[in-house]
Amino acid sequence: MNRVLATALAATAIIAAVSAADLKVDLSKETVGQPPTTFTPMIGTWIVAQDGGDKVIMVDGRPWVASKDNPTRLLIEGARKLYGTSNEELMDNAKQFAYYPVAILNGVKDFSNGSMSFKFKIMGGEADRTAGIVFNVKPNGDWLAIRYSHTDGDVALWAFHKGIRRRVFGGQKLALDRNAWHELKMTVDGADFKTYVDGAVAMEYTLGSAPRPGRNGAAPHEDLFPANNAVLRPPVSGRIGLWAKTDSSTYFKDVVVSPK
């Protein structure tokens, strides 16, 4: 735990206070071409890039396609940094977890109520073109993620549990300009969860709700019932960060976390 504390203290120096509650991730001191210091990459290739006059964080999907064995190694290293050990259950989930690039925000050890937002621009991807927020990240690797998919043209909430990702709830269909910057924001207030895209509500959901029927009226999977899956039950409590999928290449900037 001392290493976790040291990481959090170091990150505090590079996360600027916007107000008494808001934290804005400052990328000005990051080094272009290197992994970010403001985030701990857990899965995927995360580097600092230059976009005009701005430094941005990029998830680069090309190395994911080239070598699918590296994510497990990176996950083990990241787990040791964040939790001080290589959690066995987290390692058991690594094979499936490796399909979803994740970078955990340093300096925010436990996000519960509040909001997180960022601006994103999708640069490429053959199989997937996504940008998302991962939250409620547990030490065993379970998490929730709200994401925008340019591939599917929608916003959706997903849960990762016991090594498998499942869709929890879908929001509005959206047709965003892929070549422009957009804003994704989520808010959590107890069980109340909302998602905004470019300032407009794109999804509203109550955490802990019973799942809807599956395709063609099929019974939902047992892991989608909150009684069987702790990550679906409020209150939210866990790490938070950036999320993508497989070969997505996406720019992120203006990351702001506002704990409540």
Side-chain angles (χ1 to χ4, degrees):
M1 289 301 175
N2 289 336
R3 277 179 288 183
V4 175
L5 179 59
T7 300
L9 290 174
T12 301
I14 47 180
I15 299 179
V18 178
S19 69
D22 297 345
L23 296 173
K24 181 176 181 180
V25 178
D26 180 10
L27 301 180
S28 64
K29 296 179 177 62
E30 297 279 18
T31 301
V32 173
Q34 297 296 315
T37 59
T38 43
F39 290 81
T40 296
M42 297 290 287
I43 293 296
T45 301
W46 298 83
I47 60 172
V48 178
Q50 192 77 39
D51 182 61
D54 296 330
K55 289 181 180 179
V56 300
I57 294 176
M58 177 186 185
V59 58
D60 187 350
R62 293 168 297 179
W64 187 94
V65 175
S67 176
K68 296 179 183 178
D69 292 329
N70 287 336
T72 301
R73 174 186 57 78
L74 182 60
L75 179 61
I76 293 171
E77 294 174 356
R80 286 174 177 158
K81 288 179 183 178
L82 292 172
Y83 302 114
T85 184
S86 55
N87 183 288
E88 289 187 9
E89 189 174 0
L90 181 61
M91 298 309 107
D92 290 341
N93 290 340
K95 186 175 180 180
Q96 287 289 333
F97 193 72
Y99 283 87
Y100 311 107
V102 170
I104 299 298
L105 179 62
N106 294 323
V108 180
K109 186 176 179 181
D110 189 7
F111 175 87
S112 185
N113 292 319
S115 68
M116 178 174 176
S117 65
F118 58 66
K119 291 181 181 176
F120 69 91
K121 181 165 62 174
I122 298 193
M123 306 302 295
E126 293 297 325
D128 293 289
R129 296 178 294 277
T130 60
I133 299 169
V134 63
F135 64 105
N136 213 20
V137 181
K138 306 300 186 184
N140 67 352
D142 288 354
W143 45 251
L144 293 174
I146 182 68
R147 65 96 178 106
Y148 165 74
S149 170
H150 183 266
T151 313
D152 296 334
D154 67 0
V155 168
L157 178 67
W158 293 79
F160 188 88
H161 179 57
K162 294 182 179 179
I164 301 294
R165 188 186 72 139
R166 291 188 171 86
R167 185 183 177 100
V168 178
F169 194 77
Q172 294 181 4
K173 288 288 185 178
L174 299 167
L176 301 183
D177 180 358
R178 177 175 162 181
N179 298 313
W181 283 97
H182 302 280
E183 183 186 60
L184 180 69
K185 178 180 180 179
M186 73 167 199
T187 62
V188 181
D189 186 0
D192 183 64
F193 179 81
K194 291 185 177 66
T195 305
Y196 302 80
V197 175
D198 293 338
V201 175
M203 195 184 80
E204 297 183 73
Y205 180 70
T206 301
L207 297 169
S209 297
R212 293 180 173 182
R215 291 181 180 177
N216 300 318
H221 193 278
E222 62 180 10
D223 282 350
L224 289 175
F225 287 90
N228 302 327
N229 186 349
V231 80
L232 291 171
R233 300 194 296 266
V236 166
S237 178
R239 297 274 186 171
I240 193 168
L242 305 176
W243 181 96
K245 187 182 177 187
T246 61
D247 68 338
S248 299
S249 291
T250 305
Y251 281 175
F252 301 85
K253 69 177 183 180
D254 296 346
V255 181
V256 178
V257 178
S258 302
K260 186 176 180 181

